[in-house]
Amino acid sequence: MDGPQTDPVGPGSEAVLRWARAVGLAVDEGEQRRLAAMGLDVLAAGALPRAGTRDVALTAQWAAFICLVDDMIDRRGTGLVPGEVEAFTAPLREVLASAVVCGLRRRLCMPWC
C-alpha cells in the first residue's frame, strides 16, 4: 500500500507532523503547534522500545489521529447536537466494520475482548 498512511515516516515529531499535514489532520497552525508539542514520537518509542522504525511511526500516527480527533470533538463543540459524534465517526466505524473480512477487526479488538 502506498500513501501517507503507510509510508515509513522515520522518527521525530516533524515526521509525525508531516504525516498529519499530508492526510489532512493538522490543517491549521494551532493544530500543528499542539501536535508538535505532544511528543507523540517519544511516547511511541517509549511504548515500543524494541520495535522498528515503521512500527514506532505507525503508533505515533495512531496517537496523533486519536489526539486530533479528540481535539476536534472537544474544541469544536462536536457532540453538542444529538447524533453529531455518530455522524462524525461514521466513516471510521464503517472501515472497522468492513475490516472483519480480513480479520483486522478481531486483531484490533483483541485487547478489549
Side-chain angles (χ1 to χ4, degrees), residues 79-86:
L80 297 176
V81 176
E84 207 171 28
V85 172
E86 290 79 6

Side-chain angles (χ1 to χ4, degrees), residues 7 12-14 25 38 42-43 46 48 55 58 60 86 89 97 107:
D7 287 345
S13 61
E14 182 56 39
L25 286 175
M38 288 179 196
V42 176
L43 172 74
L48 303 168
D55 291 335
L58 181 60
E86 290 79 6
T89 60
R107 288 192 302 272

Side-chain angles (χ1 to χ4, degrees), residues 57-98:
L58 181 60
T59 301
Q61 290 169 352
W62 268 108
F65 171 77
I66 291 165
C67 290
L68 290 169
V69 167
D70 181 66
D71 281 354
M72 285 180 193
I73 291 169
D74 293 342
R75 296 178 198 274
R76 296 181 182 168
T78 304
L80 297 176
V81 176
E84 207 171 28
V85 172
E86 290 79 6
F88 178 74
T89 60
L92 175 61
R93 288 183 285 114
E94 190 174 306
V95 168
L96 291 174
S98 67

Side-chain angles (χ1 to χ4, degrees), residues 1 9 14 32 49-51 54 59-60 85 87 93 97 113:
M1 294 196 313
V9 294
E14 182 56 39
Q32 292 173 26
R50 295 186 182 137
R54 289 184 68 139
T59 301
V85 172
R93 288 183 285 114
C113 295

